[in-house]
Amino acid sequence: MVVCGDDGLAYRLAAELRGVYREQVTLVVPPAGRRVRQPVVGRARAASAALLDMVNAAVNRTGNADPGGADRELDATEPTEDVLADAGVERATALALVYDDDETNIRAALTARRLNPRLRLVLRLYNRRLGQHIEELLDQSATLATGDGPGSGTGSGTGTGAGSTTVLSDADTAAPALAATALVGTSKVVETDGLLLRAVERNPPRPGEVADPGLCTLALLSATSNDPAGADGSEGSGELGPQLLPDAAAVEAATGRGTVALEQVSYSGPPLPAGRAGVPAFGELFSRRLRWSLAGLAACVVALAVALMLVTGDHPLHATYVTLLDLFSINEPAHNKDTGRQILQLLSGFVGLLLLPVLLAAVLEALGTFRSASALRKPPRGLGGHVVLLGLGKIGTRVLTRLREMDIPVVCVEADPEARGMATARRLRVPVVLGDVTQEGVLEAAKIHRAHSLLALTSVDTTNLEAVLYARSVRSRLRVVLRLYDDDFATAVYRTLRAAHPGALTRSRSVTHLAAPSFAGAMMGRQILGAIPVERRVLLFAAVEVAGHPQLEGKTVGEAFRAGAWRVLALEVPDGEVSDGGRAQGGAPERARESRLVWELPDTYVLRGSDRVVLAATRRGLAELLGRRAARRGVDV
């Protein structure tokens, strides 16, 4: 395996491949003086080395030698052809290009595909549309060069075979986890190519109640997960975590512990329109005060028309017409009419005088609305219970999109008016406060004193910490989520904030920690659909071919389930077809769902070599099921 990158994700990915999948890794990084976020990369490098030492110790205890050779680290400013050749790309199984710059990754991928057409490529690209085109181009190039069938289909994250290409984004991988962390009780979602997996945290059942497991129970939460001062929080805390993929006996024996259940798995329908709003178009054009003024004038006109009809006995339509003529002062004076008619004409003229400024205000307000359609919105006066999002960079933009998809009110704070996510905020009609979050009054403008939670996602750790500390001084019980690069720093901050504010929820999250499992799984040749965080751990969802895996092939769904490691969730079938084996060998559902996946498979269904299944697995469970070296050595990873 070859990993090329310039930040902490490269080191975390190398550690994942070494420590979990037991693969030999060649790491290509810039020289020490030119690395991005040097202190953070240094700590990530140390963590990678520590994890490798731990696994080597496990190998020594089992008496198995390392046949794969030593790992290497190369210093190179850019992944040029000579550098890739020196890293052994011609002989490698997979190459990960995780530079922070999309152009660097694309240029290196084109070179690597020419050097080794059968190489499995994993690219880190923020631009999803460009990523799909690059993926198709590289797959087509590999097919023509090797003469084999395509290693992957179209769409991001579909590469499974030799010569395949998988395009992933650390922002897309981490965004659901960050959004879910900020909202207790909000579903955790993994979505890819129309497939929606929704995991929901549920509180422990009361005495006498039976917990609804949904489609299945994914995890048992730790006993302190619902306690604001509990163990959940920082990835690096090292405290006792949850129990992933428990069996029925463990679920039944657990008391006082919440669960994570798979509640809904179905296509979510067409994407929501970008400009959806809670008020009609008329309300977007005119303010509430102006709408009330127009409504009051309309009521006056109706009252005058009714009064004229009663006084003169006219037809309702004719009475309304005459009232409007009086209103706009284009009717003849009622000199020779009775007193009632004259009074009504005077009242109509007075209402007409009031109507003119209101109509002028409506025209000016409508013009101002059209003129400022692309301008940033300000937080409404009565806003409350919202999420304050700091930073509209790569991660912040993706998290903002996720929150709006769940109809969560958001107020963004950004210091750079040209930030990457400003266009997304305008398109989604999200209020934005421009200003440095460390300056006094900026968080107040975002209504932090009435907010539900604070997401600090800027690229500067000290800025995130300062914003959280100030927000806690304004509202001590505010729920906060910090994006911190340095694990040691994150752990120290989390524990201190937990001790200082035991009644408030505090969470620290690392984007590279959440993204590395998906990148590592893609390098191993899996179709990783996504990852769902369960407290400090991660549960992966992957699509796997049954053929070639003795733990699955020829076994029933019940026999294939291994508690704490993996669990078969669904069976993929062609559109409009139903698995005959399912009906013959265990009674699979009578029809396939629109997503081409059959859920709620019976435990008696026998998995065949031609089947393709979706399973939930822990990182180590997926390595044990599909990893080559761990299975050969017999090392407990």
Side-chain angles (χ1 to χ4, degrees), residues 215-216 245 542 546 551-552 555-562 566-571 598-601 603 605 607 612-617 625:
L215 294 178
C216 69
L245 301 175
V546 173
Q551 302 95 329
L552 302 178
K555 298 184 179 296
T556 65
V557 172
E559 293 171 345
F561 169 54
R562 181 173 296 181
W566 64 78
R567 178 173 187 165
V568 176
L569 298 178
L571 173 69
V598 178
W599 299 91
E600 298 180 287
L601 286 171
D603 289 341
Y605 173 72
L607 299 173
R612 180 179 173 87
V613 297
V614 173
L615 52 84
L625 177 65

PDB file of all heavy atoms in Angstrom, residues 215-216 245 542 546 551-552 555-562 566-571 598-601 603 605 607 612-617 625:
ATOM      1  N   LEU A 215     -35.006  -2.211  12.534  1.00  0.00           N
ATOM      2  CA  LEU A 215     -34.554  -3.300  11.683  1.00  0.00           C
ATOM      3  C   LEU A 215     -33.541  -4.177  12.410  1.00  0.00           C
ATOM      4  O   LEU A 215     -33.522  -5.395  12.223  1.00  0.00           O
ATOM      5  CB  LEU A 215     -33.935  -2.738  10.399  1.00  0.00           C
ATOM      6  CG  LEU A 215     -34.899  -2.002   9.456  1.00  0.00           C
ATOM      7  CD1 LEU A 215     -34.150  -1.471   8.259  1.00  0.00           C
ATOM      8  CD2 LEU A 215     -36.020  -2.922   9.018  1.00  0.00           C
ATOM      9  N   CYS A 216     -32.681  -3.572  13.202  1.00  0.00           N
ATOM     10  CA  CYS A 216     -31.735  -4.322  14.022  1.00  0.00           C
ATOM     11  C   CYS A 216     -31.097  -3.363  15.013  1.00  0.00           C
ATOM     12  O   CYS A 216     -31.162  -2.146  14.843  1.00  0.00           O
ATOM     13  CB  CYS A 216     -30.665  -5.012  13.168  1.00  0.00           C
ATOM     14  SG  CYS A 216     -29.509  -3.879  12.379  1.00  0.00           S
ATOM     15  N   LEU A 245     -22.525  -3.931  17.570  1.00  0.00           N
ATOM     16  CA  LEU A 245     -23.095  -5.143  16.989  1.00  0.00           C
ATOM     17  C   LEU A 245     -23.278  -6.251  18.023  1.00  0.00           C
ATOM     18  O   LEU A 245     -22.718  -7.342  17.906  1.00  0.00           O
ATOM     19  CB  LEU A 245     -22.211  -5.637  15.839  1.00  0.00           C
ATOM     20  CG  LEU A 245     -22.018  -4.646  14.685  1.00  0.00           C
ATOM     21  CD1 LEU A 245     -21.034  -5.192  13.662  1.00  0.00           C
ATOM     22  CD2 LEU A 245     -23.338  -4.317  14.015  1.00  0.00           C
ATOM     23  N   ALA A 542     -20.612  -1.440   4.516  1.00  0.00           N
ATOM     24  CA  ALA A 542     -19.885  -1.802   3.300  1.00  0.00           C
ATOM     25  C   ALA A 542     -20.712  -2.773   2.474  1.00  0.00           C
ATOM     26  O   ALA A 542     -21.516  -3.554   3.002  1.00  0.00           O
ATOM     27  CB  ALA A 542     -18.536  -2.427   3.639  1.00  0.00           C
ATOM     28  N   VAL A 546     -20.093 -11.941  -1.703  1.00  0.00           N
ATOM     29  CA  VAL A 546     -20.011 -13.111  -0.816  1.00  0.00           C
ATOM     30  C   VAL A 546     -18.932 -14.074  -1.284  1.00  0.00           C
ATOM     31  O   VAL A 546     -18.252 -14.716  -0.465  1.00  0.00           O
ATOM     32  CB  VAL A 546     -21.381 -13.797  -0.727  1.00  0.00           C
ATOM     33  CG1 VAL A 546     -21.283 -15.106   0.051  1.00  0.00           C
ATOM     34  CG2 VAL A 546     -22.397 -12.868  -0.070  1.00  0.00           C
ATOM     35  N   GLN A 551     -16.362 -17.041   5.643  1.00  0.00           N
ATOM     36  CA  GLN A 551     -17.206 -16.681   6.783  1.00  0.00           C
ATOM     37  C   GLN A 551     -18.642 -16.378   6.357  1.00  0.00           C
ATOM     38  O   GLN A 551     -19.536 -16.341   7.199  1.00  0.00           O
ATOM     39  CB  GLN A 551     -16.631 -15.470   7.511  1.00  0.00           C
ATOM     40  CG  GLN A 551     -15.219 -15.649   8.022  1.00  0.00           C
ATOM     41  CD  GLN A 551     -14.198 -15.105   7.043  1.00  0.00           C
ATOM     42  OE1 GLN A 551     -14.428 -15.121   5.834  1.00  0.00           O
ATOM     43  NE2 GLN A 551     -13.077 -14.614   7.553  1.00  0.00           N
ATOM     44  N   LEU A 552     -18.858 -16.144   5.056  1.00  0.00           N
ATOM     45  CA  LEU A 552     -20.190 -15.802   4.558  1.00  0.00           C
ATOM     46  C   LEU A 552     -20.745 -16.868   3.612  1.00  0.00           C
ATOM     47  O   LEU A 552     -21.912 -17.253   3.712  1.00  0.00           O
ATOM     48  CB  LEU A 552     -20.146 -14.449   3.830  1.00  0.00           C
ATOM     49  CG  LEU A 552     -19.654 -13.229   4.613  1.00  0.00           C
ATOM     50  CD1 LEU A 552     -19.623 -12.000   3.713  1.00  0.00           C
ATOM     51  CD2 LEU A 552     -20.530 -12.967   5.827  1.00  0.00           C
ATOM     52  N   LYS A 555     -23.203 -20.090   4.241  1.00  0.00           N
ATOM     53  CA  LYS A 555     -23.752 -20.007   5.600  1.00  0.00           C
ATOM     54  C   LYS A 555     -25.062 -19.233   5.589  1.00  0.00           C
ATOM     55  O   LYS A 555     -25.310 -18.394   4.713  1.00  0.00           O
ATOM     56  CB  LYS A 555     -22.764 -19.314   6.542  1.00  0.00           C
ATOM     57  CG  LYS A 555     -21.437 -20.048   6.715  1.00  0.00           C
ATOM     58  CD  LYS A 555     -20.552 -19.370   7.719  1.00  0.00           C
ATOM     59  CE  LYS A 555     -19.238 -20.111   7.898  1.00  0.00           C
ATOM     60  NZ  LYS A 555     -19.458 -21.462   8.469  1.00  0.00           N
ATOM     61  N   THR A 556     -25.890 -19.498   6.576  1.00  0.00           N
ATOM     62  CA  THR A 556     -27.120 -18.721   6.713  1.00  0.00           C
ATOM     63  C   THR A 556     -26.787 -17.339   7.279  1.00  0.00           C
ATOM     64  O   THR A 556     -25.692 -17.114   7.788  1.00  0.00           O
ATOM     65  CB  THR A 556     -28.103 -19.432   7.642  1.00  0.00           C
ATOM     66  OG1 THR A 556     -27.552 -19.495   8.961  1.00  0.00           O
ATOM     67  CG2 THR A 556     -28.417 -20.838   7.145  1.00  0.00           C
ATOM     68  N   VAL A 557     -27.761 -16.435   7.187  1.00  0.00           N
ATOM     69  CA  VAL A 557     -27.542 -15.086   7.714  1.00  0.00           C
ATOM     70  C   VAL A 557     -27.264 -15.151   9.214  1.00  0.00           C
ATOM     71  O   VAL A 557     -26.413 -14.417   9.738  1.00  0.00           O
ATOM     72  CB  VAL A 557     -28.758 -14.194   7.413  1.00  0.00           C
ATOM     73  CG1 VAL A 557     -28.647 -12.850   8.112  1.00  0.00           C
ATOM     74  CG2 VAL A 557     -28.915 -14.003   5.906  1.00  0.00           C
ATOM     75  N   GLY A 558     -27.966 -16.025   9.920  1.00  0.00           N
ATOM     76  CA  GLY A 558     -27.733 -16.163  11.353  1.00  0.00           C
ATOM     77  C   GLY A 558     -26.354 -16.706  11.668  1.00  0.00           C
ATOM     78  O   GLY A 558     -25.691 -16.261  12.613  1.00  0.00           O
ATOM     79  N   GLU A 559     -25.888 -17.692  10.875  1.00  0.00           N
ATOM     80  CA  GLU A 559     -24.569 -18.270  11.112  1.00  0.00           C
ATOM     81  C   GLU A 559     -23.451 -17.299  10.741  1.00  0.00           C
ATOM     82  O   GLU A 559     -22.373 -17.317  11.333  1.00  0.00           O
ATOM     83  CB  GLU A 559     -24.419 -19.561  10.304  1.00  0.00           C
ATOM     84  CG  GLU A 559     -25.334 -20.683  10.767  1.00  0.00           C
ATOM     85  CD  GLU A 559     -25.306 -21.855   9.816  1.00  0.00           C
ATOM     86  OE1 GLU A 559     -24.819 -21.693   8.672  1.00  0.00           O
ATOM     87  OE2 GLU A 559     -25.765 -22.940  10.203  1.00  0.00           O
ATOM     88  N   ALA A 560     -23.698 -16.433   9.751  1.00  0.00           N
ATOM     89  CA  ALA A 560     -22.682 -15.481   9.303  1.00  0.00           C
ATOM     90  C   ALA A 560     -22.501 -14.321  10.276  1.00  0.00           C
ATOM     91  O   ALA A 560     -21.486 -13.621  10.221  1.00  0.00           O
ATOM     92  CB  ALA A 560     -23.041 -14.946   7.916  1.00  0.00           C
ATOM     93  N   PHE A 561     -23.466 -14.092  11.145  1.00  0.00           N
ATOM     94  CA  PHE A 561     -23.376 -12.974  12.088  1.00  0.00           C
ATOM     95  C   PHE A 561     -22.351 -13.278  13.169  1.00  0.00           C
ATOM     96  O   PHE A 561     -22.378 -14.337  13.808  1.00  0.00           O
ATOM     97  CB  PHE A 561     -24.747 -12.722  12.710  1.00  0.00           C
ATOM     98  CG  PHE A 561     -24.734 -11.774  13.878  1.00  0.00           C
ATOM     99  CD1 PHE A 561     -24.182 -10.511  13.761  1.00  0.00           C
ATOM    100  CD2 PHE A 561     -25.275 -12.140  15.101  1.00  0.00           C
ATOM    101  CE1 PHE A 561     -24.157  -9.630  14.822  1.00  0.00           C
ATOM    102  CE2 PHE A 561     -25.274 -11.271  16.173  1.00  0.00           C
ATOM    103  CZ  PHE A 561     -24.708 -10.010  16.034  1.00  0.00           C
ATOM    104  N   ARG A 562     -21.427 -12.344  13.376  1.00  0.00           N
ATOM    105  CA  ARG A 562     -20.448 -12.464  14.453  1.00  0.00           C
ATOM    106  C   ARG A 562     -20.551 -11.230  15.336  1.00  0.00           C
ATOM    107  O   ARG A 562     -20.254 -10.110  14.897  1.00  0.00           O
ATOM    108  CB  ARG A 562     -19.030 -12.598  13.914  1.00  0.00           C
ATOM    109  CG  ARG A 562     -17.982 -12.740  15.013  1.00  0.00           C
ATOM    110  CD  ARG A 562     -16.621 -13.046  14.474  1.00  0.00           C
ATOM    111  NE  ARG A 562     -16.578 -14.336  13.810  1.00  0.00           N
ATOM    112  CZ  ARG A 562     -15.470 -14.852  13.264  1.00  0.00           C
ATOM    113  NH1 ARG A 562     -14.332 -14.168  13.345  1.00  0.00           N
ATOM    114  NH2 ARG A 562     -15.517 -16.010  12.664  1.00  0.00           N
ATOM    115  N   TRP A 566     -19.166  -8.194  12.649  1.00  0.00           N
ATOM    116  CA  TRP A 566     -19.938  -7.842  11.454  1.00  0.00           C
ATOM    117  C   TRP A 566     -21.335  -8.458  11.518  1.00  0.00           C
ATOM    118  O   TRP A 566     -21.591  -9.409  12.247  1.00  0.00           O
ATOM    119  CB  TRP A 566     -19.223  -8.300  10.176  1.00  0.00           C
ATOM    120  CG  TRP A 566     -19.054  -9.779  10.040  1.00  0.00           C
ATOM    121  CD1 TRP A 566     -19.986 -10.700   9.665  1.00  0.00           C
ATOM    122  CD2 TRP A 566     -17.854 -10.519  10.313  1.00  0.00           C
ATOM    123  NE1 TRP A 566     -19.455 -11.955   9.676  1.00  0.00           N
ATOM    124  CE2 TRP A 566     -18.157 -11.878  10.044  1.00  0.00           C
ATOM    125  CE3 TRP A 566     -16.574 -10.168  10.727  1.00  0.00           C
ATOM    126  CZ2 TRP A 566     -17.198 -12.878  10.215  1.00  0.00           C
ATOM    127  CZ3 TRP A 566     -15.622 -11.171  10.864  1.00  0.00           C
ATOM    128  CH2 TRP A 566     -15.937 -12.510  10.622  1.00  0.00           C
ATOM    129  N   ARG A 567     -22.217  -7.892  10.699  1.00  0.00           N
ATOM    130  CA  ARG A 567     -23.599  -8.374  10.636  1.00  0.00           C
ATOM    131  C   ARG A 567     -24.162  -8.068   9.260  1.00  0.00           C
ATOM    132  O   ARG A 567     -24.059  -6.932   8.786  1.00  0.00           O
ATOM    133  CB  ARG A 567     -24.451  -7.712  11.708  1.00  0.00           C
ATOM    134  CG  ARG A 567     -25.909  -8.126  11.684  1.00  0.00           C
ATOM    135  CD  ARG A 567     -26.670  -7.585  12.873  1.00  0.00           C
ATOM    136  NE  ARG A 567     -28.012  -8.113  12.942  1.00  0.00           N
ATOM    137  CZ  ARG A 567     -28.787  -8.047  14.007  1.00  0.00           C
ATOM    138  NH1 ARG A 567     -28.335  -7.457  15.102  1.00  0.00           N
ATOM    139  NH2 ARG A 567     -30.005  -8.549  14.000  1.00  0.00           N
ATOM    140  N   VAL A 568     -24.748  -9.061   8.598  1.00  0.00           N
ATOM    141  CA  VAL A 568     -25.370  -8.875   7.286  1.00  0.00           C
ATOM    142  C   VAL A 568     -26.698  -8.159   7.467  1.00  0.00           C
ATOM    143  O   VAL A 568     -27.548  -8.587   8.258  1.00  0.00           O
ATOM    144  CB  VAL A 568     -25.570 -10.228   6.575  1.00  0.00           C
ATOM    145  CG1 VAL A 568     -26.316 -10.020   5.259  1.00  0.00           C
ATOM    146  CG2 VAL A 568     -24.234 -10.904   6.325  1.00  0.00           C
ATOM    147  N   LEU A 569     -26.869  -7.061   6.739  1.00  0.00           N
ATOM    148  CA  LEU A 569     -28.076  -6.250   6.862  1.00  0.00           C
ATOM    149  C   LEU A 569     -29.034  -6.413   5.692  1.00  0.00           C
ATOM    150  O   LEU A 569     -30.240  -6.387   5.873  1.00  0.00           O
ATOM    151  CB  LEU A 569     -27.698  -4.767   6.986  1.00  0.00           C
ATOM    152  CG  LEU A 569     -26.854  -4.360   8.189  1.00  0.00           C
ATOM    153  CD1 LEU A 569     -26.545  -2.877   8.113  1.00  0.00           C
ATOM    154  CD2 LEU A 569     -27.565  -4.699   9.488  1.00  0.00           C
ATOM    155  N   ALA A 570     -28.509  -6.513   4.472  1.00  0.00           N
ATOM    156  CA  ALA A 570     -29.375  -6.496   3.299  1.00  0.00           C
ATOM    157  C   ALA A 570     -28.737  -7.294   2.179  1.00  0.00           C
ATOM    158  O   ALA A 570     -27.523  -7.535   2.157  1.00  0.00           O
ATOM    159  CB  ALA A 570     -29.640  -5.057   2.838  1.00  0.00           C
ATOM    160  N   LEU A 571     -29.577  -7.705   1.226  1.00  0.00           N
ATOM    161  CA  LEU A 571     -29.155  -8.450   0.049  1.00  0.00           C
ATOM    162  C   LEU A 571     -29.490  -7.638  -1.186  1.00  0.00           C
ATOM    163  O   LEU A 571     -30.625  -7.171  -1.351  1.00  0.00           O
ATOM    164  CB  LEU A 571     -29.857  -9.811  -0.006  1.00  0.00           C
ATOM    165  CG  LEU A 571     -29.644 -10.645  -1.265  1.00  0.00           C
ATOM    166  CD1 LEU A 571     -28.193 -11.133  -1.328  1.00  0.00           C
ATOM    167  CD2 LEU A 571     -30.612 -11.825  -1.297  1.00  0.00           C
ATOM    168  N   VAL A 598     -32.856  -5.846  -0.460  1.00  0.00           N
ATOM    169  CA  VAL A 598     -33.875  -6.549   0.325  1.00  0.00           C
ATOM    170  C   VAL A 598     -33.421  -6.538   1.779  1.00  0.00           C
ATOM    171  O   VAL A 598     -32.373  -7.103   2.126  1.00  0.00           O
ATOM    172  CB  VAL A 598     -34.070  -7.990  -0.168  1.00  0.00           C
ATOM    173  CG1 VAL A 598     -35.092  -8.714   0.703  1.00  0.00           C
ATOM    174  CG2 VAL A 598     -34.525  -7.996  -1.620  1.00  0.00           C
ATOM    175  N   TRP A 599     -34.195  -5.874   2.626  1.00  0.00           N
ATOM    176  CA  TRP A 599     -33.863  -5.758   4.048  1.00  0.00           C
ATOM    177  C   TRP A 599     -34.649  -6.783   4.847  1.00  0.00           C
ATOM    178  O   TRP A 599     -35.554  -7.429   4.341  1.00  0.00           O
ATOM    179  CB  TRP A 599     -34.177  -4.342   4.536  1.00  0.00           C
ATOM    180  CG  TRP A 599     -33.378  -3.311   3.799  1.00  0.00           C
ATOM    181  CD1 TRP A 599     -33.740  -2.645   2.668  1.00  0.00           C
ATOM    182  CD2 TRP A 599     -32.066  -2.874   4.111  1.00  0.00           C
ATOM    183  NE1 TRP A 599     -32.739  -1.808   2.258  1.00  0.00           N
ATOM    184  CE2 TRP A 599     -31.696  -1.919   3.131  1.00  0.00           C
ATOM    185  CE3 TRP A 599     -31.161  -3.168   5.127  1.00  0.00           C
ATOM    186  CZ2 TRP A 599     -30.468  -1.278   3.138  1.00  0.00           C
ATOM    187  CZ3 TRP A 599     -29.945  -2.533   5.135  1.00  0.00           C
ATOM    188  CH2 TRP A 599     -29.604  -1.593   4.140  1.00  0.00           C
ATOM    189  N   GLU A 600     -34.302  -6.920   6.098  1.00  0.00           N
ATOM    190  CA  GLU A 600     -34.957  -7.844   7.032  1.00  0.00           C
ATOM    191  C   GLU A 600     -34.891  -9.276   6.500  1.00  0.00           C
ATOM    192  O   GLU A 600     -35.894  -9.983   6.406  1.00  0.00           O
ATOM    193  CB  GLU A 600     -36.412  -7.418   7.281  1.00  0.00           C
ATOM    194  CG  GLU A 600     -36.542  -6.045   7.916  1.00  0.00           C
ATOM    195  CD  GLU A 600     -37.981  -5.635   8.154  1.00  0.00           C
ATOM    196  OE1 GLU A 600     -38.667  -5.323   7.170  1.00  0.00           O
ATOM    197  OE2 GLU A 600     -38.396  -5.624   9.313  1.00  0.00           O
ATOM    198  N   LEU A 601     -33.695  -9.680   6.115  1.00  0.00           N
ATOM    199  CA  LEU A 601     -33.505 -11.055   5.664  1.00  0.00           C
ATOM    200  C   LEU A 601     -33.718 -12.021   6.828  1.00  0.00           C
ATOM    201  O   LEU A 601     -33.290 -11.750   7.949  1.00  0.00           O
ATOM    202  CB  LEU A 601     -32.087 -11.236   5.128  1.00  0.00           C
ATOM    203  CG  LEU A 601     -31.778 -10.619   3.767  1.00  0.00           C
ATOM    204  CD1 LEU A 601     -30.284 -10.712   3.498  1.00  0.00           C
ATOM    205  CD2 LEU A 601     -32.554 -11.307   2.663  1.00  0.00           C
ATOM    206  N   ASP A 603     -33.018 -15.227   9.208  1.00  0.00           N
ATOM    207  CA  ASP A 603     -31.773 -15.860   9.630  1.00  0.00           C
ATOM    208  C   ASP A 603     -31.506 -17.167   8.899  1.00  0.00           C
ATOM    209  O   ASP A 603     -30.366 -17.646   8.881  1.00  0.00           O
ATOM    210  CB  ASP A 603     -31.799 -16.122  11.143  1.00  0.00           C
ATOM    211  CG  ASP A 603     -31.699 -14.830  11.944  1.00  0.00           C
ATOM    212  OD1 ASP A 603     -31.257 -13.812  11.374  1.00  0.00           O
ATOM    213  OD2 ASP A 603     -32.091 -14.845  13.134  1.00  0.00           O
ATOM    214  N   TYR A 605     -31.858 -17.690   5.629  1.00  0.00           N
ATOM    215  CA  TYR A 605     -31.472 -17.511   4.229  1.00  0.00           C
ATOM    216  C   TYR A 605     -29.993 -17.852   4.061  1.00  0.00           C
ATOM    217  O   TYR A 605     -29.140 -17.359   4.793  1.00  0.00           O
ATOM    218  CB  TYR A 605     -31.738 -16.076   3.768  1.00  0.00           C
ATOM    219  CG  TYR A 605     -31.208 -15.787   2.380  1.00  0.00           C
ATOM    220  CD1 TYR A 605     -31.816 -16.324   1.259  1.00  0.00           C
ATOM    221  CD2 TYR A 605     -30.078 -15.000   2.209  1.00  0.00           C
ATOM    222  CE1 TYR A 605     -31.329 -16.070  -0.006  1.00  0.00           C
ATOM    223  CE2 TYR A 605     -29.581 -14.737   0.943  1.00  0.00           C
ATOM    224  CZ  TYR A 605     -30.200 -15.270  -0.169  1.00  0.00           C
ATOM    225  OH  TYR A 605     -29.712 -15.027  -1.419  1.00  0.00           O
ATOM    226  N   LEU A 607     -26.519 -17.670   2.185  1.00  0.00           N
ATOM    227  CA  LEU A 607     -25.775 -16.757   1.314  1.00  0.00           C
ATOM    228  C   LEU A 607     -25.027 -17.558   0.260  1.00  0.00           C
ATOM    229  O   LEU A 607     -24.278 -18.494   0.582  1.00  0.00           O
ATOM    230  CB  LEU A 607     -24.792 -15.921   2.142  1.00  0.00           C
ATOM    231  CG  LEU A 607     -25.417 -15.029   3.218  1.00  0.00           C
ATOM    232  CD1 LEU A 607     -24.335 -14.391   4.071  1.00  0.00           C
ATOM    233  CD2 LEU A 607     -26.290 -13.960   2.588  1.00  0.00           C
ATOM    234  N   ARG A 612     -24.465 -10.391  -3.349  1.00  0.00           N
ATOM    235  CA  ARG A 612     -23.771  -9.178  -2.897  1.00  0.00           C
ATOM    236  C   ARG A 612     -24.583  -8.629  -1.735  1.00  0.00           C
ATOM    237  O   ARG A 612     -25.783  -8.387  -1.870  1.00  0.00           O
ATOM    238  CB  ARG A 612     -23.682  -8.164  -4.039  1.00  0.00           C
ATOM    239  CG  ARG A 612     -22.981  -6.861  -3.677  1.00  0.00           C
ATOM    240  CD  ARG A 612     -22.950  -5.957  -4.914  1.00  0.00           C
ATOM    241  NE  ARG A 612     -22.445  -4.627  -4.614  1.00  0.00           N
ATOM    242  CZ  ARG A 612     -21.159  -4.297  -4.624  1.00  0.00           C
ATOM    243  NH1 ARG A 612     -20.260  -5.217  -4.922  1.00  0.00           N
ATOM    244  NH2 ARG A 612     -20.769  -3.074  -4.353  1.00  0.00           N
ATOM    245  N   VAL A 613     -23.936  -8.429  -0.593  1.00  0.00           N
ATOM    246  CA  VAL A 613     -24.647  -8.061   0.619  1.00  0.00           C
ATOM    247  C   VAL A 613     -24.122  -6.736   1.145  1.00  0.00           C
ATOM    248  O   VAL A 613     -22.995  -6.328   0.865  1.00  0.00           O
ATOM    249  CB  VAL A 613     -24.512  -9.151   1.705  1.00  0.00           C
ATOM    250  CG1 VAL A 613     -25.153 -10.445   1.254  1.00  0.00           C
ATOM    251  CG2 VAL A 613     -23.044  -9.369   2.069  1.00  0.00           C
ATOM    252  N   VAL A 614     -24.968  -6.072   1.920  1.00  0.00           N
ATOM    253  CA  VAL A 614     -24.592  -4.882   2.672  1.00  0.00           C
ATOM    254  C   VAL A 614     -24.478  -5.300   4.131  1.00  0.00           C
ATOM    255  O   VAL A 614     -25.409  -5.900   4.679  1.00  0.00           O
ATOM    256  CB  VAL A 614     -25.620  -3.754   2.508  1.00  0.00           C
ATOM    257  CG1 VAL A 614     -25.286  -2.589   3.428  1.00  0.00           C
ATOM    258  CG2 VAL A 614     -25.670  -3.279   1.070  1.00  0.00           C
ATOM    259  N   LEU A 615     -23.350  -5.000   4.725  1.00  0.00           N
ATOM    260  CA  LEU A 615     -23.149  -5.402   6.112  1.00  0.00           C
ATOM    261  C   LEU A 615     -22.636  -4.225   6.938  1.00  0.00           C
ATOM    262  O   LEU A 615     -22.039  -3.285   6.418  1.00  0.00           O
ATOM    263  CB  LEU A 615     -22.185  -6.595   6.218  1.00  0.00           C
ATOM    264  CG  LEU A 615     -20.819  -6.526   5.529  1.00  0.00           C
ATOM    265  CD1 LEU A 615     -19.803  -5.815   6.407  1.00  0.00           C
ATOM    266  CD2 LEU A 615     -20.325  -7.928   5.223  1.00  0.00           C
ATOM    267  N   ALA A 616     -22.918  -4.300   8.211  1.00  0.00           N
ATOM    268  CA  ALA A 616     -22.352  -3.364   9.184  1.00  0.00           C
ATOM    269  C   ALA A 616     -21.212  -4.076   9.884  1.00  0.00           C
ATOM    270  O   ALA A 616     -21.334  -5.255  10.245  1.00  0.00           O
ATOM    271  CB  ALA A 616     -23.408  -2.925  10.188  1.00  0.00           C
ATOM    272  N   ALA A 617     -20.103  -3.360  10.076  1.00  0.00           N
ATOM    273  CA  ALA A 617     -18.930  -3.985  10.670  1.00  0.00           C
ATOM    274  C   ALA A 617     -18.119  -2.959  11.427  1.00  0.00           C
ATOM    275  O   ALA A 617     -18.139  -1.771  11.105  1.00  0.00           O
ATOM    276  CB  ALA A 617     -18.067  -4.645   9.590  1.00  0.00           C
ATOM    277  N   LEU A 625     -12.600  -9.989   8.426  1.00  0.00           N
ATOM    278  CA  LEU A 625     -13.417 -10.633   7.397  1.00  0.00           C
ATOM    279  C   LEU A 625     -12.747 -10.585   6.034  1.00  0.00           C
ATOM    280  O   LEU A 625     -12.804 -11.538   5.266  1.00  0.00           O
ATOM    281  CB  LEU A 625     -14.790  -9.957   7.339  1.00  0.00           C
ATOM    282  CG  LEU A 625     -15.760 -10.464   6.262  1.00  0.00           C
ATOM    283  CD1 LEU A 625     -16.143 -11.914   6.542  1.00  0.00           C
ATOM    284  CD2 LEU A 625     -16.998  -9.592   6.221  1.00  0.00           C
TER     285      LEU A 625
END
